[in-house]
Every structure is written in C-alpha cells, then in structure tokens.
Amino acid sequence: MRAAPAATGGDAALWHRRFLVLFFGVLALRVAILALLRLDLSPDEAYYWDWSRRLDWGYYSKPPMVAWIIAGAVDIFGHSALGVRLPAAVLGTVTLWGVYLLGRRLFSARAGFWAAAAAAALPGSAVLCLAMTIDAPLVCCWSLALFTFWRAAEGGRGHAGWWLLTGALVGAGLLSKQTMAAFWPLAGLFLAADPGRRRLLRSPWPYAAVLASGLMVAPVLAWNARHGWITFRHTAHHFHAAGGAVSLKTFLAFAGSQLGVVSPILWGLALWVGGAWLARARRAHGPVAFLLAMSTVPVFGVLALSLHQPVNANWAAPFHLGSLVLLAGWAEGAVDRPAPPPGRRVRLFRAGVWTAAAMSLLLYAVPPAVVRSPLAGGRLDPTVRVRGWAELGREVGRVLDGLPGRERMVVLSRRRQVVSELAFYLPRGLPVARWSVPGEGVRSQYELWPELLEAAAGRDALVVLEPGDPLLPIVARDFTELRPLGEVEAVLGPAGTRRLALYLGRGFRRGGRR
C-alpha cells in the first residue's frame, strides 16, 4: 500500500465543508421524503412500535434498542408513522459521520468525503432510512465503532478513551442487532494479522473494551435466561441449513440482491478490489489490513454462507461501509492495487457513486409512481406492505363503534402482523392480542405477554382473520358463540385489495391457556 497523498490544510477544510453540505443535505432530503410519501407502517415497524409500549431488556426475536428508540421518538414527535420513522432517517445519516471520519483518518479528507457520498448514495441506505427497523441503529453503531476502534488501535494519547468508547458503541450495536457480535472477532483478526498492532493483544485495553460491551448487554442476557434463551433460539433458526449441500440458487439470489443494495458498479468494484487484496492478504498492513478484516472478510463470509442456505439481502449491510472506504482510498491512489491508471480509478468509482445515487432517487420515486399505475396492489407492487393498514384500521374501528359493549371488548387476530397493525391504527387503549393455536408454543412476542389474553377471559371480542382462514373452526371453540360480521377492505389499486374478515365472539373462554 502506498501512503496517502498529503492533503494541505486548505484542501482538508474544503472537503470537510463539502461533507457538511452533503450531510445536512442528505438529512433534509430524507426527512422531506418521509414526510411527503406518507406510507403506512410496515408490519415489522408496527410490531416494534408495539414493543415500545412495554419497554424491557429483551424481546422475542431482537434486542431492545429498536423499541427504546421508537418509544422516545413517539414521545417527542407524536403517534404517527412519521414519528416512528424519523429516527431511521437520523441514524442512517449519522452513519455518514463514521464513514467520513474513518476515510479522512485512513487516507484523506477527500477520500472521506467520497466514501461518505458513496454510503449516502447506496440504494440500501435509501431503504434503510425510510423504515424504522433494527438495521438503522446497527449500521450507525458499526460505522462509528470502525472509526473509534481505529483511533484506539493507533495508540498514542487518549487511546484508553477510544477503547472504552469503542466498547460502548459495540455494546449499543449489540443492543440493536445480533450482527454486531461479529465486530470483536473481526477486530481481533485484524490485531492478530497486522504485525504493527499485534502487540495490542498483550495490552489490557482491548479486553477492557470487550468487557464494557459485555456489561452493556448483561441485562439482555439475563432477560433471555429468564425466557428460555428465546432470542438465541429464534436467531439460530436462520442458520438451520448452514453446512448443508451447496446451492447455486441461494448464492446467486444473495449476490444478485447486492446489485440492488450496493448498486452494480460499486458491488463489482468492492468484489474486485477487496478480492485482489484478500488474495495477497499477507502483504496487507495498516489501513488496508483493517478494512479487509472488518469488511471484505465478512462480505466474502456471507457470500460463502449463501452457498449453503438462503441469506437475507441486509445481512451484509454494515460490512459494506468499510468496503466503500477502501474503494475511496483506492480511487484516490492511497491504495495501490489493483493498479489501473489513477484517472480510470476515479472515473470508475465516481461512476459507481452516481449510478447508486440515481438508483436511490428512482427508489424514492417508486411509491408515488406505482400507486398510480395498473400494478398497484398486485404482486409486482413493492409498496403493498406499507399501504392499506390505516384504512383497514379505520374500517375495523367503524365496525367496533357499532357494537354494544365496545368499551369492554378486546380485538383478537391470528397473525402477529395484523395484531401489530391494528394495535397502531385502532384507537389507543383498546386491547389487541394474538390468538395462537393451542400447543404451538411461542411464535411471537405476543406469547410472551400472556396477560393480554388473560385479560380477555370471559369478555366479548372482535375477531379479525384473513378471509377463508382454515383455522376458523378452532378459533370458534374458544367462544360460546362466533358470529360473522362481514368483511372490510382497503383498495390498494387496480391489481388488488387487502381484506379482513370480522367476527363477533361471545364469552372468550381460553383465558391465556398455552
């Protein structure tokens, strides 16, 4: 690796000002798009929102950070889809700070700017900043932890503070999503492989940072121990086929998904540049070795995993950040291999950034375009999951208003997606619970809240099912009477509607039995 070209103070200041314009411009754009699109919450977002009404140290499938963030956001911004989602736009944009600071520290302010511009342009980032899921805080924590870890690994004055700050950021990431657990093993790989920093493994500070992370998640572990390690068991099922037969289909599905998440040019460059350095990893040191360990190695690891099982497109999301920093350094000439002429490197990388930005802008334009097209409501409509729920909530609420004894009724549904959406869009204070098949065990967070069904014992209920639900006869056994009330529907467009069948259940008898 060649040393980064020295940047003059004026150059660094110029690129820093440009980054500030980029940062605040991207933040304003994302908030404006959220406000203008006015899409309903997706079932997962509504599910996490329902968690936020019962704050705890753990939940069925995920750590607690997403619920904590949503609870604070709704308190500040109000009960609305925009209030729930604003943290995603903010966290996704704060991610750019970590990328910029790392690129500037490793190479130059110009490289930092372009790495941040690439991160902002990714189509995956466009989606991540429109939905409040666990990925927004995870990627933000990963980005900032990359920078603070590098500062800690540099040594020198204040390095102890950088180690502890890294520990705190990794802990916050672990409170967000299980993927953050990969950070310390990858960081340890870098320290062990880089001759100039191997001595740090004999220092107490890396272990103090790991301990700090562990202390932050100790309450989560205690919560899981009390609940039969439910989150760990749920996570394990994602890897049920690992080590099985080689599947070209799942490999191509994941690799192809990254063309949309990262964009074709940047994804191709990341594989080319990262793969070229990985093939000669013994000769990598310093910044390149760090970025290989924290980005290229896990990206290729996820690719290898996809040879054996289905892999979600977002699993590699945090690992791409370091790859973008590596590409920015390569484009600026601070990384010398692969070695096409410098001008060609810049053209390739910036073409990738602009292509990704164009794809992201196209993504932002898709919702208003699709809802006005013949595809609206059909299988080819990508907005189906985030439309129609508010209308269904209003329609179900209208039916409830016409029922006697409404103030003592509960709402029951079988699918957790319908439960969470109705919990959000029905008038607040109305109990909404999940009816589960007797004996099926814990299948969602709602089974960890048995008081919801226990409170329904002996009460009448509005039962909300999908039309033609085959379990209707089993549901009926839990009531002294189950009378159909008809259907409600939300028209999603020429190609489809979303419908729900409503029933009045008299005298719920099950009372939370599992």
Side-chain angles (χ1 to χ4, degrees):
M1 189 193 80
R2 176 188 311 148
T8 67
D11 270 350
L14 172 64
W15 287 103
H16 183 70
R17 288 194 298 271
R18 289 178 177 177
F19 169 73
L20 292 177
V21 172
L22 171 74
F23 177 85
F24 289 107
V26 168
L27 179 60
L29 174 66
R30 287 171 171 173
V31 172
I33 288 171
L34 276 178
L36 291 172
L37 288 182
R38 304 178 66 84
L39 298 172
D40 296 342
L41 291 185
S42 69
D44 282 348
E45 290 175 294
Y47 190 38
Y48 300 146
W49 167 83
D50 217 0
W51 295 3
S52 77
R53 299 197 292 169
R54 296 172 178 83
L55 296 181
D56 208 337
W57 280 104
Y59 297 93
Y60 166 71
S61 57
K62 301 293 186 294
M65 182 66 78
V66 65
W68 297 353
I69 292 172
I70 290 174
V74 171
D75 280 348
I76 296 171
F77 302 112
H79 179 85
S80 66
L82 179 60
V84 170
R85 286 179 172 141
L86 273 175
V90 174
L91 290 167
T93 310
V94 171
T95 296
L96 305 183
W97 270 106
V99 174
Y100 167 71
L101 291 174
L102 182 63
R104 185 176 71 173
R105 191 74 183 180
L106 295 182
F107 303 123
S108 69
R110 181 169 60 180
F113 169 85
W114 281 105
L122 296 187
S125 294
V127 175
L128 179 145
C129 292
L130 292 181
M132 187 56 223
T133 68
I134 54 177
D135 288 304
L138 164 74
V139 174
C140 183
C141 289
W142 188 282
S143 167
L144 297 172
L146 284 177
F147 170 69
T148 60
F149 177 83
W150 177 257
R151 289 300 306 268
E154 285 180 328
R157 185 177 180 181
H159 73 285
W162 289 112
W163 280 115
L164 295 178
L165 181 54
T166 303
L169 286 166
V170 174
L174 288 168
L175 291 170
S176 302
K177 189 175 180 179
Q178 298 90 319
T179 306
M180 197 76 196
F183 189 95
W184 285 126
L186 295 173
L189 172 66
F190 162 64
L191 294 179
D194 189 63
R197 289 171 178 81
R198 201 169 294 150
R199 57 181 171 75
L200 291 172
L201 292 174
R202 299 190 295 273
S203 159
W205 290 110
Y207 308 102
V210 173
L211 178 61
S213 301
L215 290 175
M216 289 182 65
V217 299
V220 178
L221 297 176
W223 182 92
N224 266 277
R226 293 195 305 271
H227 292 83
W229 302 101
I230 187 67
T231 309
F232 288 80
R233 290 192 281 117
H234 172 81
T235 303
H237 95 271
H238 288 299
F239 301 94
H240 60 90
V246 171
S247 169
L248 189 60
K249 179 180 178 181
T250 55
F251 174 80
L252 291 176
F254 173 72
S257 72
Q258 301 310 288
L259 296 174
V261 170
V262 184
S263 81
I265 297 176
L266 290 179
W267 176 230
L269 286 176
L271 294 177
W272 179 40
V273 175
W277 272 102
L278 202 58
R280 60 197 298 269
R282 291 180 179 273
R283 301 178 64 181
H285 62 274
V288 171
F290 175 59
L291 296 172
L292 287 179
M294 304 305 294
S295 297
T296 306
V297 167
V299 164
F300 276 86
V302 178
L303 278 168
L305 181 65
S306 72
L307 282 168
H308 300 283
Q309 67 165 71
V311 171
N312 293 337
N314 64 333
W315 283 15
F319 309 141
H320 291 310
L321 301 177
S323 295
L324 297 177
V325 175
L326 180 63
L327 288 180
W330 172 78
E332 298 299 324
V335 177
D336 57 6
R337 292 176 183 273
R344 187 181 173 199
R345 297 187 197 188
V346 172
R347 288 193 297 273
L348 281 171
F349 178 63
R350 294 188 184 178
V353 174
W354 290 116
T355 300
M359 292 174 66
S360 293
L361 292 175
L362 184 62
L363 276 174
Y364 290 141
V366 163
V370 168
V371 298
R372 293 172 174 81
S373 77
L375 301 176
R379 288 185 299 175
L380 298 179
D381 179 357
T383 70
V384 161
R385 284 172 53 83
V386 289
R387 289 195 297 114
W389 295 110
E391 183 178 350
L392 284 176
R394 289 191 296 270
E395 291 299 309
V396 173
R398 181 183 57 79
V399 173
L400 271 169
D401 288 340
L403 296 176
R406 171 196 180 280
E407 62 279 358
R408 292 196 68 253
M409 293 186 70
V410 298
V411 177
L412 298 180
S413 188
R414 196 164 73 81
R415 294 184 65 231
R416 65 98 171 159
Q417 291 88 346
V418 176
V419 172
S420 56
E421 293 283 4
L422 291 179
F424 186 83
Y425 285 109
L426 284 176
R428 279 175 287 173
L430 192 68
V432 184
R434 179 177 181 263
W435 180 94
S436 59
V437 178
E440 74 175 351
V442 178
R443 302 289 295 274
S444 75
Q445 180 62 31
Y446 294 108
E447 285 72 71
L448 297 179
W449 293 330
E451 67 275 9
L452 293 178
L453 276 182
E454 290 169 358
R459 298 167 67 175
D460 293 345
L462 179 67
V463 181
V464 183
L465 302 175
E466 293 182 328
D469 192 316
L471 293 186
L472 177 60
I474 301 177
V475 176
R477 294 174 192 168
D478 283 347
F479 296 90
T480 57
E481 177 191 2
L482 190 67
R483 177 164 57 89
L485 298 176
E487 295 183 358
V488 295
E489 72 172 16
V491 178
L492 303 179
T497 61
R498 177 174 287 115
R499 295 184 298 139
L500 294 173
L502 307 184
Y503 301 83
L504 176 61
R506 298 289 189 184
F508 184 65
R509 298 180 293 191
R510 188 167 160 204
R513 187 179 78 246
R514 287 281 173 266

